[in-house]
Amino acid sequence: MKENLSKKEIVFCRLKAEGKSDIEAAEQAGFLKQTGEKLSKQERIQKEIMRQLKEKKKQNIADDEEILQFLTSVMKGDAYIEKSDSIMKDRMKAAELLGKRQNTFEQPELKNDAVIIVDDIVKGK
């Protein structure tokens, strides 16, 4: 959706996603303040604001690599330099729960779905 918006409109959307009012966002993006309300009613602007809100939300969640980097630093002892043991236990538990939720610790299983039927029943005895 970004490609259909001007630079000023993208700035307006970013400011709205940050929580600015229509008037504040319009003025800071370089529009007249009365333009803010008109812009925020446009579907393409609303979609871009929602896209930016989703992107912002994604950035706040640790991904698999961040979890593994943290666990590795804890394993090596790097993380203990600054933190108390109780804080580190809480952080480790949080990393463990995130890892489980995101299946970070699951190993890809070898696909061997073929079923082999062996006819080892002797007939006629």
Side-chain angles (χ1 to χ4, degrees), residues 78-95:
D78 300 342
Y80 285 100
I81 295 169
E82 308 170 10
K83 308 292 180 192
S84 72
D85 285 342
S86 64
I87 291 172
M88 192 52 57
K89 286 178 185 175
D90 291 343
R91 292 185 69 200
M92 283 296 297
K93 185 63 177 177

Side-chain angles (χ1 to χ4, degrees), residues 50-65:
M50 292 305 295
R51 188 197 67 76
Q52 288 192 21
L53 285 170
K54 285 179 186 175
E55 185 64 32
K56 189 175 178 182
K57 189 175 181 179
K58 272 187 198 175
Q59 292 172 355
N60 291 331
I61 298 174
D63 63 13
D64 291 353
E65 187 156 332

Side-chain angles (χ1 to χ4, degrees), residues 18-41:
E18 291 173 1
K20 302 283 185 188
S21 70
D22 292 343
I23 293 171
E24 290 173 323
E27 287 180 331
Q28 290 177 20
F31 291 107
L32 297 173
K33 60 183 176 181
Q34 53 271 44
T35 307
E37 192 174 323
K38 292 176 188 173
L39 281 173
S40 65
K41 290 180 181 177

Side-chain angles (χ1 to χ4, degrees), residues 1-2 5-6 10 25 38 42 67 71 76 88 94 101:
M1 184 68 44
K2 247 187 197 180
L5 301 175
S6 70
I10 292 171
K38 292 176 188 173
Q42 294 179 15
I67 293 168
L71 294 173
K76 291 180 177 181
M88 192 52 57
R101 184 177 189 291

